[in-house]
Amino acid sequence: MSEGFFSKKEVESQSRPDGKVYSCISCGNYKNAITKKMVPYGNFKKGILNVGEYPEELDDSRGLPFQSKGGRLLKRTYEKYGIDLVDDCLNINVIRCRPLTDDGEERLPTNFEIDCCRRFILKEIKERKPKIIMVFGMLAVYSLIGHRFKKSLEGITKWRGWTIPDQDFQAWLCPIFSPSQLLKDDENVAQIIFEQDIKNALIKLNEPFREYKEPTIHYVKNLNVLTTITSDIAFDYETTGVKPHLTEHKIICASVAYEDDKVYAFMMPDEKRRQPFINLLENPYIGKIAHNMKYEHTWSINKLNTEVQNWKWDTMQMAHILDNRPGITGLKFQTYVQFGIIDYSSEIEPFLNGIDNKNANSLNRIEELIKTEEGKQKLMRYCALDSIFEFRLAKLQQDEIFNVFH
Amino acid sequence: MIVSKIKLQRALEIVKAGLSNREIIEQATCFAFIDGKITTYNDEISLSTPFPELEITGAINADDLYQLLSKLKKDEIEVNISETEITLEAGRAKAGMILQSEIKLPLEELLGKKKWKVLPEKFLTAMDFVRGSASNNLSQPIITCVHVSSEGFLEASDSFRITRYNVNDIPVKTFLIPATSCTEVLQLTPTHIAEGKGWVHFKNEIGTTLSCRVFEDDKFPQTKLILLMEGQDIIFPKNSLEVLERASVFSKREHMIDEVVEIILEEKKLTIKSSSDTAWFEESLNFKYEGDPFTFMVTPYLLKGILSQTLNCTIGKDKLKFESEDWVYVTMLKTIKK
């Protein structure tokens, strides 16, 4: 379980994310392209990095990205906002060589080909330090997010429009429809959305980057510390399953975020020692925040014999109210798009999956994890981060609602 | 052309490690004959050895050629080539194989002129010594490599142990080479090294070259501070080596770097344990130690190398260090609950 001497970050490789070779040779696209291994193009005066999908015919013959119809549409759109595609931006595609079939027809690149080219894009980001990265189309999303996001990416409609303060890249990452795809679809609505997304993304040029603040996590055994809390809290449970109704199920640990960067985390003690926590949940003057409050509410009733008072905010419901696209309300997705933290759960995740996936009442493997002190610590940290992100998300959502009405 | 079967077999044996078991790249499962050399390439490594006796250009399915040669009884083989076929005759046996006259392997990167530099004297010893500490976990790609630093050392770590070996005058820039490729480097016993873009090349006395892909744009984590440690000096029992020999019987694995034994340090007792799927071993030795009980895992061949040079070590709060003039080995200790 331990990371040992080095952190996970220190041992990750840019050139070989999973240790395998991703080379131009194994990709092979360079053999047929007129422009082999196209280099980035633009003066980059405003720090905008445009990441397109792949070189089309005209790009390939001219040796420059964004020369085709889609590129011209992007150029015109940018001009409306005073941005010059060449002077202000740096332009690249996730695939540097035009992908062709054996018959010489243009085709979509494969994920493997994108994997092979990824390190060149990452290198540009690292060296050029863009302020905003415009990510055009799903292939570009796959290139820049796919290797880090552990869940299914799904389609571009899920990603477009977010302005993500990506902490790995230290830049605002802005997925947008691919301009080439817009021209193919010929849908006015999509073009309006495309333009809106560009406009919203460009606002970030003048906003400071939203840096992630590491919270202070207090791992506590004596829950009397909870009696000092007087303001709203976000809280979260780690449990042995999804549904609390089976007698074998337990709440293993809990966390309570009481400030933007302060959180208590604890293994759930016996009935007597957990009373301060119960008092906190029952306190009608302290507002409660959760991500899917129904979950915490039901578990509290069934396992702690208490009904949570003064529910104030459900970040999951509010995420849906603010944006009703499917697949975006999960906490991990929200944590990435709002705070740029892409993965804080992959170490714990295997222990949270049900042993029998077909049975909703199935136990997960969380009790295996907590056999060691190290495992307990990891679980509590994960739980604490859940609460902190819920707390921060609630604040962001409240600001957004406030802005809508004022 | 008449060639010696044994000589040809030997040459093929030398370059065989560069074959791929799947055709991920065209002709990656072939022996390529070009410029009087036999070459193999699998995108991770490439091997090339001189074989001027066979003046052909083309690629032949490796498996077909290799299998056939192993079944031929006569040493003298007559080789004839046409545009598309190579025929081999040995005694009354005759065989034909497709000869792909165009070499499609991407050898241009590897065949260019290289600035060969003499390998420092201790380079191979160092590589052999440190590679056992590299990780085999591909989710931690950087530490599956041996770090060859132009600052004058080679090091490897799996994040729980670090081995560093000092080698003066490394004549190339710092690079990270997969520990799996180090096996081939050691096999080659090279005398020279050259750097290339994304590759490092080695050459031995008979002119066989090995090119290994390196990790481009990646940096090995800082180890300097971890290697600096203080603590209680202890001496491993004299017969530790002997016990280790016995323990390593059951620690054998397919790859040497996967082999481990467990060392348990307790008050006045040192225990060495090993196990395989079918057997286990345990032996304790008297030991002058009075601190907390600890355990650590180590590759037996590496520990043998260490103990054959020194029995002295330093035990810190959560680390243990062996050190000699040339090298330092630090391992993380795991506390044993009393």
Side-chain angles (χ1 to χ4, degrees):
Chain A
M1 287 298 296
S2 167
E3 287 173 344
F5 294 130
F6 313 127
S7 69
K8 202 177 151 208
K9 242 208 142 72
E10 282 177 294
V11 297
E12 277 173 3
S13 164
Q14 283 218 350
S15 56
R16 300 194 192 187
D18 52 8
K20 293 179 200 153
V21 177
Y22 290 102
S23 65
C24 292
I25 287 155
S26 49
C27 163
N29 274 339
Y30 69 95
K31 287 184 205 164
N32 302 322
I34 299 170
T35 304
K36 298 175 197 312
K37 305 174 190 179
M38 194 178 288
V39 293
Y41 175 63
N43 295 330
F44 198 50
K45 283 187 181 159
K46 290 196 171 148
I48 303 168
L49 177 68
N50 294 315
V51 183
E53 296 194 299
Y54 55 92
E56 294 178 41
E57 195 178 356
L58 204 55
D59 308 328
D60 191 25
S61 60
R62 290 187 183 167
L64 299 170
F66 292 97
Q67 299 295 303
S68 304
K69 273 187 183 172
R72 293 202 292 276
L73 171 66
L74 179 63
K75 190 173 188 293
R76 287 197 301 276
T77 313
Y78 268 157
E79 277 166 2
K80 287 184 190 173
Y81 302 103
I83 301 290
D84 187 281
L85 184 67
V86 177
D87 219 25
D88 297 331
C89 311
L90 187 71
N91 304 296
I92 49 175
N93 285 305
V94 292
I95 289 285
R96 301 188 302 162
C97 309
R98 186 178 175 217
L100 297 169
T101 63
D102 292 340
D103 305 328
E105 297 291 320
E106 192 167 285
R107 61 169 175 83
L108 287 175
T110 63
N111 283 353
F112 176 74
E113 287 162 351
I114 299 172
D115 292 338
C116 289
C117 243
R118 181 177 287 120
R119 67 194 169 105
F120 301 105
I121 318 294
L122 299 185
K123 198 176 168 194
E124 286 301 326
I125 294 172
K126 199 175 165 189
E127 285 174 3
R128 308 297 290 258
K129 299 185 174 56
K131 282 185 197 158
I132 55 174
I133 305 170
M134 307 293 254
V135 186
F136 293 107
M138 202 51 210
L139 299 177
V141 168
Y142 174 78
S143 174
L144 293 186
I145 302 177
H147 63 300
R148 300 178 292 148
F149 196 73
K150 307 290 178 204
K151 296 180 189 293
S152 161
L153 287 176
E154 296 168 57
I156 186 69
T157 44
K158 174 175 165 173
W159 291 96
R160 58 133 288 272
W162 299 105
T163 47
I164 306 166
D166 195 297
Q167 302 299 321
D168 291 339
F169 297 149
Q170 288 288 299
W172 293 98
L173 196 84
C174 311
I176 294 170
F177 286 137
S178 158
S180 309
Q181 197 56 44
L182 285 186
L183 292 165
K184 282 177 197 159
D185 289 351
D186 201 24
E187 277 182 34
N188 280 338
V189 180
Q191 293 209 17
I192 292 165
I193 293 172
F194 173 75
E195 210 170 307
Q196 268 178 1
D197 288 347
I198 291 214
K199 188 180 164 190
N200 284 338
L202 291 176
I203 291 171
K204 296 295 171 194
L205 268 183
N206 302 317
E207 273 184 25
F209 180 68
R210 191 185 293 154
E211 293 272 3
Y212 169 70
K213 263 196 308 183
E214 187 67 34
T216 309
I217 305 172
H218 301 284
Y219 300 98
V220 292
K221 284 188 177 157
N222 185 342
L223 302 195
N224 282 333
V225 288
L226 300 178
T227 57
T228 58
I229 296 174
T230 53
S231 55
D232 296 352
I233 58 159
F235 75 102
D236 194 73
Y237 295 146
E238 297 314 323
T239 59
T240 52
V242 181
K243 297 193 172 185
H245 309 100
L246 280 188
T247 43
E248 303 95 291
H249 276 311
K250 284 183 244 173
I251 298 174
I252 300 291
C253 80
S255 60
V256 176
Y258 57 102
E259 272 181 43
D260 201 31
D261 56 355
K262 292 195 176 89
V263 56
Y264 290 118
F266 49 89
M267 299 305 287
M268 188 56 74
D270 59 36
E271 213 173 321
K272 198 177 156 194
R273 289 188 301 143
R274 70 182 171 225
Q275 197 52 46
F277 178 57
I278 304 294
N279 295 343
L280 183 68
L281 295 183
E282 290 177 351
N283 188 331
Y285 302 105
I286 292 179
K288 313 295 184 314
I289 300 164
H291 198 78
N292 187 11
M293 65 186 197
K294 198 173 138 195
Y295 185 93
E296 268 69 24
H297 196 80
T298 321
W299 277 87
S300 302
I301 290 173
N302 281 278
K303 297 298 171 193
L304 304 177
N305 298 318
T306 186
E307 194 163 352
V308 180
Q309 299 298 310
N310 192 10
W311 276 113
K312 192 172 175 184
W313 203 268
D314 184 335
T315 46
M316 190 168 97
Q317 278 189 28
M318 194 48 71
H320 177 67
I321 291 165
L322 289 168
D323 189 334
N324 66 0
R325 282 180 279 177
I328 63 149
T329 58
L331 185 60
K332 306 298 172 288
F333 182 81
Q334 285 289 323
T335 303
Y336 177 50
V337 295
Q338 301 288 11
F339 308 115
I341 298 292
I342 204 156
D343 175 30
Y344 64 96
S345 62
S346 57
E347 267 192 308
I348 300 293
E349 209 97 332
F351 297 96
L352 302 181
N353 296 330
I355 293 165
D356 175 5
N357 282 336
K358 287 177 189 159
N359 180 1
N361 289 311
S362 165
L363 288 163
N364 59 26
R365 291 170 49 221
I366 207 167
E367 291 197 277
E368 255 176 65
L369 174 69
I370 58 164
K371 277 182 187 161
T372 62
E373 277 307 311
E374 222 176 328
K376 279 183 195 168
Q377 191 81 6
K378 290 209 171 197
L379 185 70
M380 282 194 284
R381 178 178 160 75
Y382 164 73
C383 186
L385 289 176
D386 268 355
S387 286
I388 272 290
F389 290 132
E390 287 163 21
F391 195 93
R392 291 179 185 179
L393 190 55
K395 297 280 171 218
L396 262 189
Q397 291 172 339
Q398 284 160 10
D399 289 348
E400 201 173 332
I401 299 262
F402 180 85
N403 289 338
V404 169
F405 289 107
H406 297 86
Chain B
M1 280 172 280
I2 305 284
V3 295
S4 154
K5 181 192 83 168
I6 293 169
K7 272 191 180 174
L8 180 57
Q9 270 181 315
R10 267 190 214 139
L12 297 182
E13 193 63 44
I14 290 171
V15 296
K16 207 177 142 199
L19 289 168
S20 169
N21 42 15
R22 283 184 307 123
E23 189 147 292
I24 40 164
I25 300 157
E26 257 182 299
Q27 297 180 343
T29 55
C30 293
F31 290 118
F33 292 83
I34 182 169
D35 298 337
K37 288 177 183 166
I38 308 175
T39 301
T40 51
Y41 179 100
N42 65 16
D43 216 17
E44 184 74 73
I45 62 165
S46 175
L47 274 151
S48 187
T49 195
F51 198 73
E53 294 91 327
L54 213 49
E55 289 164 10
I56 58 172
T57 299
I60 305 166
N61 182 289
D63 210 30
D64 289 349
L65 180 61
Y66 200 75
Q67 294 287 340
L68 177 72
L69 289 178
S70 68
K71 304 287 180 204
L72 293 177
K73 284 186 180 166
K74 298 242 173 184
D75 183 45
E76 250 182 26
I77 306 172
E78 190 181 337
V79 180
N80 288 299
I81 51 163
S82 71
E83 240 179 66
T84 54
E85 200 178 68
I86 177 168
T87 54
L88 272 67
E89 279 183 69
R92 295 167 79 173
K94 201 172 175 182
M97 281 170 277
I98 292 175
L99 175 74
Q100 302 170 44
S101 55
E102 189 191 346
I103 304 284
K104 291 179 178 166
L105 288 173
L107 302 175
E108 60 278 6
E109 279 187 60
L110 310 176
L111 294 179
K113 261 203 158 181
K114 297 170 191 84
K115 284 185 184 166
W116 290 108
K117 290 164 184 173
V118 178
L119 262 188
E121 198 191 325
K122 288 178 186 165
F123 188 90
L124 296 179
T125 313
M127 185 175 264
D128 194 23
F129 195 79
V130 304
R131 71 186 167 121
S133 296
S135 170
N136 56 7
N137 180 354
L138 286 178
S139 69
Q140 309 174 321
I142 289 191
I143 52 173
T144 60
C145 292
V146 167
H147 177 208
V148 180
S149 170
S150 57
E151 286 178 31
F153 59 83
L154 276 77
E155 66 181 351
S157 171
D158 63 357
S159 201
F160 296 96
R161 56 203 167 144
I162 301 170
T163 314
R164 179 186 278 202
Y165 201 112
N166 297 322
V167 177
N168 290 334
D169 306 321
I170 290 176
V172 289
K173 281 187 203 150
T174 296
F175 63 90
L176 298 180
I177 178 171
T180 47
S181 301
C182 292
T183 313
E184 305 311 326
V185 177
L186 294 165
Q187 186 95 5
L188 182 77
T189 52
T191 51
H192 289 76
I193 187 168
E195 39 192 332
K197 200 174 179 309
W199 294 85
V200 60
H201 313 280
F202 297 92
K203 186 172 78 170
N204 70 5
E205 270 174 349
I206 64 159
T208 301
T209 58
L210 165 68
S211 302
C212 304
R213 259 195 199 281
V214 293
F215 277 48
E216 273 184 288
D217 313 318
D218 283 318
K219 276 188 182 159
F220 203 77
Q222 275 294 338
T223 56
K224 203 175 165 185
L225 290 176
I226 303 166
L227 297 176
L228 290 173
M229 60 163 278
E230 287 176 355
Q232 180 193 344
D233 291 334
I234 53 169
I235 302 169
F236 261 55
K238 275 183 187 158
N239 43 354
S240 306
L241 250 178
E242 202 183 296
V243 177
L244 192 59
E245 286 289 353
R246 287 194 276 276
S248 54
V249 172
F250 296 136
S251 66
K252 288 268 178 285
R253 299 290 183 270
E254 197 183 334
H255 298 290
M256 217 198 271
I257 55 170
D258 295 335
E259 296 174 6
V260 283
V261 291
E262 186 183 3
I263 312 290
I264 302 162
L265 312 172
E266 290 164 293
E267 218 172 272
K268 293 176 184 162
K269 193 170 86 172
L270 183 142
T271 309
I272 301 180
K273 282 183 177 181
S274 69
S275 64
S276 69
D277 289 343
T278 53
W280 58 271
F281 174 87
E282 182 176 329
E283 188 169 341
S284 295
L285 296 161
N286 291 330
F287 179 45
K288 277 187 190 168
Y289 175 64
E290 288 181 342
D292 291 332
F294 286 114
T295 173
F296 68 96
M297 312 293 274
V298 61
T299 312
Y301 89 87
L302 174 63
L303 188 60
K304 278 182 217 169
I306 291 170
L307 295 178
S308 62
Q309 295 185 51
T310 180
L311 293 170
N312 301 330
C313 69
T314 308
I315 190 160
K317 198 177 144 230
D318 54 0
K319 288 185 281 185
L320 177 133
K321 175 162 91 169
F322 285 98
E323 197 169 12
S324 86
E325 244 178 54
D326 289 330
W327 51 260
V328 52
Y329 172 83
V330 170
T331 183
M332 192 179 261
L333 295 171
K334 202 173 156 190
T335 318
I336 303 172
K337 279 188 184 159
K338 284 179 187 170

